[in-house]
Amino acid sequence: MLPIYAALPELKRSLEQNSVVLLEAPPGAGKSTVLPLELLNESWLAGQKTIVLQPRRVAARAVASRMADSLGERVGETVGYRVRFDSSVNRTTRIEVVTEGILTRRLQSDPSLEGIGLVVLDEFHERSLNADLAYALCREVQGALREDLRLLIMSATLEPELLEKLKAPLVRSEGRPFPVEVRYASADPLEKALPETVARAVELVLENHAGDVLAFLPGVSEILRAQRALEARDLKVKILPLYGDLPLERQREALLPDPDGARRVVLSTSIAETSVTLSGVRTVVDSGYSRVSQFDPTSGLSRLVTVRVSRDAATQRAGRAGREDKGVCYRLWSERTHGLLPLRRLPEILEADLAPLCLELAGWGAQPGELEWPDPPPVRAMNTAQNLLESLDALKDGKITARGRRMLELPTHPRISHLLLEGLNAGLGALACDVAALLEERDPSERGSGADLTARVDLLRQFRAGRAIGSLERIERLAGQWRRLLGISPDNSRVQAESVGRLVALAYPERVAQRRANELYRYRLASGKGVRLLEDDPLAGSEYLAVAQVDFGVEEGRIFLAAPLEKSVLEIHWEEVLRWDKSTGTLNAREDLKYLELTLDSRPLREISPEARTRALLGAVRQEGLGLLHWTDAAQELRARVESLRVWGPGDGWPDFSDAGLLASLEGWLGSALEGVRKRDDFAKLDVYALLKSLLPWKLTSLLEELAPTHLTVPSGHKVKLGYALDGGAPVLAVKLQEMFGQAETPTVGGGRVPVLLHLLSPARRPVQVTQDLKSFWNSGYPQVRKELRGDYPRHPWPEDPWNAPPTRATTRGMKRDG
């Protein structure tokens, strides 16, 4: 009996009492194929359906088949499945195993999930984007429409952080722990040599161990190379590949024991890590690599990259050897390297292209922050996705459009949806189906075949007409599925390359590429990135390309798939470009023909609107700073006085004359004065004093003289100029010491709020004392100053009593003469 049966009573109680339940059960426990059947007759389910979400098509079909077999039925009766372009269900089906966007499609069309009582999210530890979205939407449905809907989250492992985020009761199953001996290599393999390294390890396993062998490789190309290497060894065993794009019959061959008892070696991608059980496997050979799609929000592109597996994934892979009996796992990396691997895989939502998710949320009518997520989608990636969807007419101002609704109905990425719908509207529906299939599937051409996508379309059409051979079955099958869905007949005629380019540009508007001047192979994308063709590529020299597949390097990306493009099909516009040339101090004016970041043509701009000229000249001031203007002493003084008053009385309404304030309000005080400005010398002719003075209302103008006078009358009767600071510091009154005799209090400005900073000067007009406390100076500082300076300046008065001495600017002789 499978271990999951021991956990069934507790699980049933939890589901009866809670809307969300977590189940942790290791591989082999039976959670995927036993639980949905055991829950069918629960009272809270009451004849309703169960939806089981599997992350992979292979697993979905295999799980449905295993459950149907246990009932003695065919798939499509009590238990069925739905995957993209394939389903096996009928009106009496109670359990539907679904994958990809099937559950999301159902939620979008029926938010209440009528007739469904339980949603099961299997293999949740893989943290696929679809699973996270399904969780968020189901929680929304539970909160708003269906309190009776149950959500069961199943996983082989649930880390503490995820348990804390989900906040639901947890049921654990112990599983059936057949021991697996793990053996490490002495050194790490070279990534390029993985297929041969795996082949050698498999040969060693076949010599030393019984049973079938499961080997993990990162991708299809490595699987096929390893398969050829093993078949060349003539090992007298069946070598079977297993990956998602295999036809269903060949998948079943890899999943089921050989009917004649032949020994098997299954070469698989990561799809065999969980869910599916490969009977007869006693040994696992793990290359330690997997291929994942990573999205770069700075480029707006996703690319498949080969990465080291995480430790939790390695544990899952090793566990496949212990499903039915004790086994052995050969890890083709060192034990030291194992300790350096990441502990667990990163949730897909944190590194994926979020355009599909963004469109789903827009169709649902919710913002990311309004839903409950295990991990919320990153803001930057969501912004990138929204910008893309806006360019595809799927969103407008963040809201889904009618076109976006139509795109949601097609089970593919929004880029491909847009290509198909626009191709249909333009009378290129059959070609759009062919191009879409070629873009979604692996490139059918061999390495070195060049980047010409049109050649692939012609090859596909020749294959369809029986005039060519090659591995194009999967591409033609997908193209046929698109034709059936859109109601289009096939077309086997030769195609125009520009039509292919037009369709690619619809899917990837930011990947329209313009050839660089005097270059045959180097291009610039409309997003601003640099890319190149190989030098012998037939597309080299094309003026414009629509790039479908590109891989970015450190400096330039390499184009893998593209088609020529006519400029006439692009949505282009003339754009005035006025730029200030700092080196020459002149305004350059031209008109550019633009497509996104590409400049397709340029011509001199003979007529410039006053508004555009003003914007450009204001930009010049922002570029060079306020020093571009000619600041007279009067203008500088006015600015400092007003800015001082603003600092001293921040609530009194004084305008902001700081650098930041004046630059922020340039349009208001400088814009109208730029009519005659053409070059740097013209800026020097502007009356900055008058421009700043115009910013002051009449009331503040009169207050300015009162609160921040330009001069103060000192005891000698003379008016002495005040020096103000832009930072609002105390204004400086530089005055000859003898002119202040008899004054006790320090002069103030700002309505008495700010004492001036007195620079008391010697007869040679050098500061002998800096103070804001004149009384203290007369009492304590003056005697020492008198002692030090009376000998140096004997012709100037140095009375012992400064309080009663007459203030004067004159010498002693001058005072006598005046007297």
Side-chain angles (χ1 to χ4, degrees):
M1 180 177 291
L2 290 170
I4 196 65
Y5 284 100
L8 266 175
E10 182 183 358
L11 179 67
K12 288 181 177 181
R13 286 194 299 271
S14 292
L15 282 170
E16 187 174 5
Q17 299 168 5
N18 301 279
S19 59
V20 183
V21 175
L22 309 178
L23 173 66
E24 185 178 66
K31 62 181 183 300
S32 301
T33 55
V34 171
L35 282 183
L37 295 173
E38 290 293 328
L39 297 173
L40 274 180
N41 297 320
E42 292 299 295
S43 58
W44 49 265
L45 200 52
Q48 297 182 93
K49 286 187 176 183
T50 296
I51 299 292
V52 180
L53 182 68
Q54 283 288 339
R56 298 180 179 89
R57 286 172 287 171
V58 172
R61 294 187 179 108
V63 167
S65 178
R66 187 70 60 88
M67 284 193 283
D69 287 346
S70 68
L71 294 174
E73 299 178 352
R74 293 178 301 178
V75 173
E77 296 179 13
T78 302
V79 181
Y81 69 81
R82 293 181 192 269
V83 300
R84 192 174 80 146
F85 297 127
D86 185 21
S87 66
S88 180
V89 296
N90 65 28
R91 286 181 295 177
T92 64
T93 298
R94 294 284 310 282
I95 299 172
E96 292 185 14
V97 186
V98 303
T99 190
E100 297 177 356
I102 303 298
L103 176 57
T104 311
R105 295 277 77 71
R106 192 157 192 163
L107 281 160
Q108 293 283 13
S109 61
D110 177 19
S112 66
L113 289 181
E114 185 176 353
I116 297 172
L118 173 64
V119 174
V120 180
L121 305 183
D122 200 4
E123 309 301 346
F124 199 76
H125 62 273
E126 294 192 14
R127 298 303 308 280
S128 71
L129 184 61
N130 280 323
D132 279 12
L133 176 60
Y135 172 83
L137 297 186
C138 285
R139 293 294 287 148
E140 173 97 337
V141 170
Q142 287 178 323
L145 300 171
R146 289 282 310 279
E147 292 183 358
D148 63 316
L149 178 68
R150 263 60 168 197
L151 182 60
L152 175 59
I153 299 171
M154 304 198 303
S155 178
T157 56
L158 287 168
E159 65 271 17
E161 296 85 354
L162 185 58
L163 290 173
E164 177 63 25
K165 293 172 184 175
L166 298 181
K167 290 183 172 59
L170 172 65
V171 178
R172 282 194 169 96
S173 170
E174 296 302 322
R176 183 164 54 193
F178 288 111
V180 175
E181 179 188 356
V182 176
R183 300 181 183 179
Y184 291 93
S186 58
D188 299 339
L190 295 174
E191 186 180 327
K192 292 182 179 179
L194 278 181
E196 179 58 33
T197 304
V198 169
R200 288 198 302 268
V202 168
E203 185 177 16
L204 178 66
V205 166
L206 291 172
E207 293 174 357
N208 293 281
H209 300 277
D212 293 344
V213 181
L214 171 62
F216 287 98
L217 291 111
V220 176
S221 62
E222 291 86 356
I223 286 175
L224 298 180
R225 287 161 57 198
Q227 183 178 5
R228 289 193 293 269
L230 287 168
E231 288 172 346
R233 285 170 162 81
D234 192 24
L235 298 172
K236 310 300 182 185
V237 295
K238 276 194 170 183
I239 313 297
L240 302 171
L242 178 60
Y243 49 87
D245 291 330
L246 273 178
L248 184 58
E249 298 74 17
R250 296 188 65 191
Q251 290 180 10
R252 288 173 177 163
E253 185 182 7
L255 293 171
L256 300 175
D258 185 79
D260 299 323
R263 198 174 182 191
R264 304 179 308 145
V265 173
V266 179
L267 306 174
S268 177
T269 62
S270 57
I271 65 172
E273 282 179 14
T274 54
S275 296
V276 297
T277 295
L278 280 71
S279 298
V281 170
R282 296 293 182 271
T283 310
V284 166
V285 175
D286 188 357
S287 70
Y289 286 89
S290 64
R291 190 155 293 140
V292 298
S293 177
Q294 287 186 351
F295 178 63
D296 178 6
T298 63
S299 67
L301 302 175
S302 292
R303 59 175 180 171
L304 286 174
V305 295
T306 302
V307 299
R308 287 278 193 181
V309 296
S310 56
R311 275 182 273 171
D312 68 332
T315 300
Q316 293 286 335
R317 291 180 175 189
R320 311 311 276 174
R323 280 293 185 98
E324 298 172 334
D325 204 340
K326 63 181 180 179
V328 179
C329 174
Y330 285 84
R331 289 177 174 165
L332 304 184
W333 63 91
S334 68
E335 192 167 6
R336 178 183 180 278
T337 296
H338 185 76
L340 302 175
L341 296 178
L343 187 60
R344 57 183 62 91
R345 68 203 86 191
L346 195 67
E348 187 182 5
I349 199 170
L350 300 182
E351 57 183 358
D353 175 0
L354 297 188
L357 175 68
C358 187
L359 187 59
E360 294 286 359
L361 292 180
W364 188 256
Q367 296 296 318
E370 298 171 354
L371 299 179
E372 179 183 328
W373 300 91
D375 288 282
V379 173
R380 186 181 180 190
M382 284 296 289
N383 290 339
T384 300
Q386 183 168 328
N387 291 338
L388 170 64
L389 294 173
E390 297 267 1
S391 72
L392 299 179
D393 300 324
L395 299 181
K396 185 175 182 179
D397 299 327
K399 306 295 183 183
I400 193 166
T401 62
R403 164 51 59 88
R405 292 281 181 196
R406 184 75 179 94
M407 289 164 67
L408 268 181
E409 296 172 2
L410 300 181
T412 186
H413 192 283
R415 291 184 186 272
I416 305 300
S417 297
H418 187 62
L419 181 156
L420 289 165
L421 295 175
E422 284 296 304
L424 194 62
N425 291 341
L428 299 172
L431 179 59
C433 292
D434 289 344
V435 172
L438 283 160
L439 295 183
E440 288 190 288
E441 293 289 347
R442 295 190 313 276
D443 186 0
S445 298
E446 296 180 356
R447 288 176 178 267
S449 300
D452 189 1
L453 180 59
T454 306
R456 273 83 164 172
V457 176
D458 282 331
L459 184 63
L460 175 62
R461 293 190 167 191
Q462 292 173 37
F463 173 82
R464 185 184 301 139
R467 300 192 301 271
I469 60 175
S471 56
L472 293 161
E473 293 91 351
R474 68 183 188 279
I475 298 175
E476 171 53 24
R477 184 169 62 248
L478 180 55
Q481 289 165 334
W482 283 126
R483 290 194 298 270
R484 285 190 294 274
L485 185 62
L486 297 174
I488 298 171
S489 300
D491 183 354
N492 294 338
S493 62
R494 290 186 65 85
V495 299
Q496 292 186 343
E498 289 74 13
S499 296
V500 177
R502 178 182 176 185
L503 290 172
V504 172
L506 290 169
Y508 301 97
E510 80 284 11
R511 296 191 203 174
V512 170
Q514 180 185 29
R515 185 167 61 87
R516 295 184 184 273
N518 303 317
E519 297 274 1
L520 284 177
Y521 314 103
R522 300 179 67 236
Y523 289 78
R524 183 170 180 260
L525 294 179
S527 63
K529 299 285 185 179
V531 292
R532 60 179 174 82
L533 291 164
L534 293 183
E535 293 187 1
D536 58 349
D537 197 291
L539 292 177
S542 300
E543 193 65 25
Y544 298 100
L545 293 175
V547 178
Q549 191 178 107
V550 60
D551 186 24
F552 278 98
V554 176
E555 296 180 355
E556 279 188 315
R558 178 185 164 190
I559 299 172
F560 287 105
L561 281 180
L565 186 67
E566 292 180 337
K567 183 171 70 173
S568 59
V569 304
L570 298 175
E571 293 185 6
I572 55 182
H573 64 280
W574 285 100
E575 182 178 292
E576 289 186 358
V577 179
L578 285 85
R579 288 199 176 95
W580 180 258
D581 188 335
K582 188 175 181 179
S583 62
T584 63
T586 57
L587 186 64
N588 294 334
R590 69 175 190 274
E591 197 173 20
D592 288 347
L593 187 62
K594 299 289 288 186
Y595 174 79
L596 300 183
E597 295 299 316
L598 293 180
T599 299
L600 310 185
D601 198 0
S602 187
R603 63 193 182 194
L605 188 59
R606 303 189 182 282
E607 294 185 5
I608 308 173
S609 68
E611 296 79 13
R613 182 185 296 278
T614 297
R615 283 196 302 272
L617 293 171
L618 292 175
V621 178
R622 293 189 179 97
Q623 179 185 349
E624 294 204 29
L626 294 172
L628 184 60
L629 306 175
H630 177 58
W631 290 87
T632 63
D633 291 344
Q636 290 178 329
E637 180 185 73
L638 174 63
R639 184 184 175 199
R641 291 164 68 200
V642 172
E643 185 62 9
S644 292
L645 288 171
R646 187 182 71 85
V647 173
W648 301 338
D652 295 344
W654 294 97
D656 187 351
F657 278 6
S658 66
D659 280 3
L662 289 179
L663 288 172
S665 61
L666 276 180
E667 288 84 352
W669 64 273
L670 185 60
S672 60
L674 296 174
E675 183 177 351
V677 175
R678 299 292 184 273
K679 55 187 183 300
R680 178 175 283 115
D681 290 346
D682 295 334
F683 278 106
K685 300 173 184 177
L686 298 177
D687 188 347
V688 177
Y689 176 85
L691 292 172
L692 294 183
K693 193 72 177 290
S694 68
L695 292 177
L696 293 174
W698 178 84
K699 180 180 178 181
L700 291 183
T701 301
S702 60
L703 278 176
L704 177 65
E705 301 304 322
E706 176 186 337
L707 300 178
T710 59
H711 295 74
L712 283 181
T713 301
V714 297
S716 67
H718 290 94
K719 288 187 175 182
V720 179
K721 189 176 182 60
L722 276 168
Y724 290 86
L726 271 176
D727 62 4
V732 174
L733 185 69
V735 59
K736 188 177 176 182
L737 183 151
Q738 282 83 358
E739 293 192 66
M740 300 300 293
F741 286 159
Q743 179 154 332
E745 300 300 327
T746 303
T748 61
V749 294
R753 290 180 291 184
V754 182
V756 304
L757 186 63
L758 288 164
H759 285 207
L760 299 175
L761 308 179
S762 71
R765 302 201 65 79
R766 295 189 183 92
V768 297
Q769 183 73 28
V770 176
T771 182
Q772 283 184 296
D773 188 349
L774 188 57
K775 181 184 295 186
S776 176
F777 169 71
W778 295 134
N779 288 332
S780 57
Y782 174 72
Q784 183 63 30
V785 169
R786 176 177 181 271
K787 178 179 178 181
E788 293 175 355
L789 297 184
R790 63 185 299 190
D792 294 334
Y793 303 99
R795 293 185 299 167
H796 294 265
W798 298 100
E800 290 187 14
D801 182 8
W803 294 101
N804 296 305
T808 181
R809 299 180 68 184
T811 62
T812 305
R813 181 181 298 177
M815 291 177 62
K816 292 178 179 178
R817 184 174 60 248
D818 293 340

